[in-house]
Amino acid sequence: MKLRCLRARPAAALLLLALAACGGGGGGNDGPLPTFDTSAVAAADPGSPLPADWRSGVFAEIFVRAYKDSDGDGIGDLRGLTAQLDYLRDLGVSGLWLMPVMPSQDGDHGYAVTDYRTIEPRYGSLADFDELLRQAHARGIGVVIDYVMNHSAAQHPAFVNSRDSSANPWRDWYVWQPSKPGGWNVFGADPWHNAGNGYYYYGAFWDQMPDFNLKNAAVVGWHHDNLRFWLNRGVDGFRFDAVGNLVENGPSAWESQPQNYVLMDQVRQLAGGYAQRYVVCESPANPIPFATACGAAFAFGHQFDVINAAKGDTAAVQAVAGYFATAPLGMATFASNHDSFAGQRLWDQLGGDQARYRMAAATTLLQPGTPFIYYGEEIGMAGAASLTGDPKLRTPMSWSGTAAGFTSGTPFRAVSANIATQNVAAQQADPNSLLNYYKALISLRRSLPSLSQGSYAAGSAAGTLLTFQRVAGGERSVVVINYGTAPATATVGGLPAGTVLANAFPPSGTDLSTDAGGTLSVPVPAQSVRVLVLRS
Ligand code: NOJ
C-alpha cells in the first residue's frame, strides 16, 4: 500500500508504516524515524493484596539510583531496593514512592522519560519490577511510581517525530510555534526553544524536556493507556509530576490552568477504577486545589513552617497549629524531598541539631496528612559536602560508614557529608538513635487509629508549645509538642472531668487525669513530645 505523508494522525494500524514512509520528509532527519508503543491498553485490575488501610500509613520517597546497588556498577537498582525491603518494613512504612523508574535521557533523576512502558535498563527489567512489587506487597507495602505527563525527553520517539516536520503525524503531540512567542517567563526562563528548523517548541523545565500538547485528546488517551499499563501490572498508584504545568493558555496563563484540574480529575477517576490505588500530585504553587482534583497533593509550604517551628519560631508554631484546621487531612506532608527548591536535606537545614530534628519528625508523623520520608531522612543523612543544587540532596544511601554499604563498586555520586556517624548500621545498634526515634513514632502512629486516620481538633499554639487532638471513633489522642528549650506545661481544656488519659508516648511517660473542670495539665520537658489517649 502506498502511503502519503499526511498532516492528520493516521489510523493506529497504519501508524508505523506511515512513520517509515514519512521519515526524512522535510525535517532534516535522514534515517527512519523511531517508533514507540501506542497500542491501546484496556483496564484489567489484578486487584490489591494490600491491607485496607495501607494508604493511611507513612511513605518513603526512594531515589532508586541512590538506594542500593546489587551488581557493583555503582548505580542503585530495583534488585538492590528489593533486598532492602525488610529494612523499610522494619522502619514501619506502608508505601514507597519511587522517583522515575522508566528509561530517561537525563541518566539521573529520570524526569526526562524516553519510554513510558518499560524500566530504565540500568535499574533492571520489568521482571525485576514485578518481583519488587511482589516482595513489597508480601510485606504489606504499596509501590507508587512517578509519572511525568507534562513533558517527555527530547529523545522520546514522539518528539523526534514531532520535530521532524510540520507535516509529521506526531507534530501536534507537542506545542509548536512558527516564530518565537514573546513575553513568556516560566520559573525565571524563556520556555520557548529554537528547534533549529525555523520552529519553536515549548518546554517549561528544560530544552530537553518538551511539553506535551495536552489539549490534544490523542496525547491524553495515550497517557491513560500508559497508566493502565502500570496499573494492570499491579502498581499501587502514581506520584504525578508538575501538574501545575500541564496546559498553557498564554504568557500570563501557564500555571494551574482550569484544564489541569480536569486532566487530573480524569486520572484520579481512572486510578479509582482499580482497587485501593493512591494518586498524589506535585504542585508547589497550588497544593490544596490539586489535592481535590488528584485525591492528594504534597503540602508545599507547610514543611518550612514545621522546620521553623522545630527551631523555636513562634509564628511558625502558630502556622503549624492552624494548617490542618483548613487543609484536607490527606495532604502529603514532608520535611524535604529530592528538589532543592523544597529545601536542603533536613539535617542541613537544622545544622545537625538532633533535638530540633526530632521535633520536626514528630510534628510530621503525629499531625494529619500522609507523611513522606525522603530516603535517609530517618537516619539524618546530610547532603554531599562537595556538591551543590539538587545533586547534593541525591546522594547514595548511607547504609554503613562508607560507600561500601551502598555499592561494591564506585558510587555514581559523592556520599553524604556525615556518612561516618549518620548511617543505618550505627543507628540500628543504638537504642537512642534517630532511626529508632522514627521507628517508635511510626509504630505509635500505626497503633492508634486516631493518629493514622483521625480528624484534627483543637490545634493551638502558645509560644513554642503546640497542642492538638486527633479523633477517630471513640479514641482521642492529645498531642503536645514543646519546641522550646525549657520545660513547659500545656493546659488542655474541654475534656471529660476527672478522667484518666493513658500515656502513649514517650514510653517512660505516665498516665494523667483531668481535673473537675475537664482540664488536663501536661508537663513536657524541653524539646520533647507527649501523647496521651482517651478512650470512650
Ligand atoms: C518536578 C520534579 O520534582 C523535579 O525533580 C523535576 O526536575 C521537574 N518536576 C521536572 O520534571
Side-chain angles (χ1 to χ4, degrees):
M1 183 190 334
K2 184 120 170 94
L3 290 166
R4 286 182 301 126
C5 293
L6 302 171
R7 265 174 192 271
R9 184 186 171 194
L14 300 182
L15 169 68
L16 300 184
L17 280 169
L19 289 179
C22 295
N29 187 329
D30 293 332
L33 287 166
T35 61
F36 63 106
D37 191 353
T38 55
S39 54
V41 180
D45 184 7
S48 170
L50 295 171
D53 63 350
W54 81 274
R55 290 171 288 192
S56 54
V58 174
F59 280 64
E61 179 194 350
I62 306 285
F63 182 28
V64 171
R65 182 174 298 270
Y67 206 59
K68 179 74 177 175
D69 174 21
S70 73
D71 57 10
D73 66 357
I75 292 172
D77 47 47
L78 293 177
R79 289 186 181 194
L81 169 57
T82 302
Q84 302 308 107
L85 285 172
D86 283 348
Y87 167 80
L88 290 159
R89 177 202 56 205
D90 294 348
L91 175 59
V93 301
S94 60
L96 306 180
W97 153 28
L98 309 187
M99 286 168 60
V101 291
M102 300 161 197
S104 75
Q105 172 184 336
D106 56 80
D108 191 63
H109 51 68
Y111 288 96
V113 177
T114 53
D115 186 342
Y116 282 80
R117 298 191 189 178
T118 193
I119 292 292
E120 161 64 46
R122 284 163 287 195
Y123 291 176
S125 63
L126 277 171
D128 293 331
F129 183 76
D130 292 342
E131 179 63 7
L132 168 69
L133 275 186
R134 206 178 64 74
Q135 296 275 357
H137 289 167
R139 290 164 177 79
I141 297 174
V143 179
V144 167
I145 59 172
D146 230 307
Y147 192 88
V148 190
M149 192 159 84
N150 180 64
H151 49 266
S152 71
Q155 289 174 5
H156 190 286
F159 187 72
V160 174
N161 279 279
S162 182
R163 173 180 206 147
D164 187 60
S165 84
S166 58
N168 188 286
W170 305 112
R171 183 63 160 195
D172 200 27
W173 275 43
Y174 295 84
V175 183
W176 290 96
Q177 289 293 337
S179 59
K180 189 177 178 65
W184 289 72
N185 182 331
V186 173
F187 307 131
D190 187 338
W192 290 98
H193 308 289
N194 189 345
N197 55 9
Y199 288 89
Y200 291 79
Y201 64 94
Y202 185 88
F205 291 93
W206 183 28
D207 68 348
Q208 295 303 298
M209 285 179 171
D211 275 43
F212 282 111
N213 173 13
L214 293 168
K215 292 178 179 172
N216 180 344
V219 180
V220 176
W222 175 73
H223 278 301
H224 288 182
D225 284 325
N226 294 339
L227 296 174
R228 283 188 287 267
F229 171 88
W230 293 102
L231 290 166
N232 290 353
R233 291 196 98 82
V235 81
D236 301 292
F238 303 99
R239 177 264 190 191
F240 274 89
D241 188 55
V243 297
N245 295 83
L246 302 178
V247 171
E248 300 74 39
N249 291 319
S252 309
W254 52 267
E255 185 155 60
S256 302
Q257 295 300 291
Q259 296 100 318
N260 299 22
Y261 296 101
V262 174
L263 286 165
M264 293 320 301
D265 193 63
Q266 290 167 351
V267 163
R268 181 178 52 76
Q269 290 186 40
L270 185 158
Y274 288 73
Q276 297 205 121
R277 301 311 205 266
Y278 177 70
V279 172
V280 58
C281 283
E282 184 219 23
S283 165
N286 291 290
I288 290 182
F290 275 108
T292 305
C294 300
F298 287 99
F300 282 96
H302 183 55
Q303 83 274 24
F304 294 126
D305 288 329
V306 169
I307 293 168
N308 288 330
K311 292 177 180 171
D313 175 336
T314 55
V317 179
Q318 197 85 48
V320 171
Y323 185 75
F324 281 106
T326 54
L329 299 183
M331 295 305 290
T333 52
F334 63 96
S336 74
N337 68 18
H338 63 284
D339 285 322
S340 52
F341 76 78
Q344 293 297 310
R345 280 243 179 218
L346 184 55
W347 180 270
D348 294 325
Q349 292 193 60
L350 295 174
D353 184 320
Q354 294 214 33
R356 290 178 168 180
Y357 203 110
R358 286 171 197 231
M359 295 303 93
T363 309
T364 306
L365 294 171
L366 297 174
Q367 279 213 312
T370 304
F372 278 71
I373 297 171
Y374 186 40
Y375 76 96
E377 177 189 314
E378 73 278 11
I379 53 170
M381 264 173 67
S386 56
L387 299 172
T388 57
D390 295 334
K392 182 183 177 81
L393 318 179
R394 302 173 185 173
T395 54
M397 176 73 175
S398 300
W399 293 108
S400 68
T402 70
F406 166 69
T407 180
S408 59
T410 305
F412 73 99
R413 174 167 289 154
V415 296
S416 289
N418 61 3
I419 191 170
T421 55
Q422 304 303 124
N423 63 71
V424 172
Q427 294 197 30
Q428 281 175 327
D430 173 4
N432 295 317
S433 66
L434 198 52
L435 174 61
N436 282 314
Y437 187 77
Y438 268 80
K439 280 188 186 179
L441 284 174
I442 296 171
S443 165
L444 175 71
R445 184 185 168 97
R446 287 185 87 135
S447 70
L448 294 175
S450 55
L451 291 182
S452 56
Q453 298 168 37
S455 60
Y456 183 74
S460 142
T464 50
L465 206 52
L466 171 70
T467 59
F468 57 88
Q469 297 174 31
R470 309 285 314 280
V471 184
E475 181 183 282
R476 178 180 294 266
S477 290
V478 174
V479 179
V480 183
I481 303 179
N482 180 7
Y483 299 106
T485 51
T489 298
T491 305
V492 182
L495 298 167
T499 302
V500 175
L501 277 81
N503 179 67
F505 192 86
S508 58
T510 55
D511 297 349
L512 294 174
S513 297
T514 58
D515 65 15
T519 295
L520 187 72
S521 292
V522 187
V524 200
Q527 294 179 304
S528 66
V529 176
R530 293 208 61 180
V531 182
L532 295 130
V533 182
L534 177 67
R535 292 189 178 86
S536 59

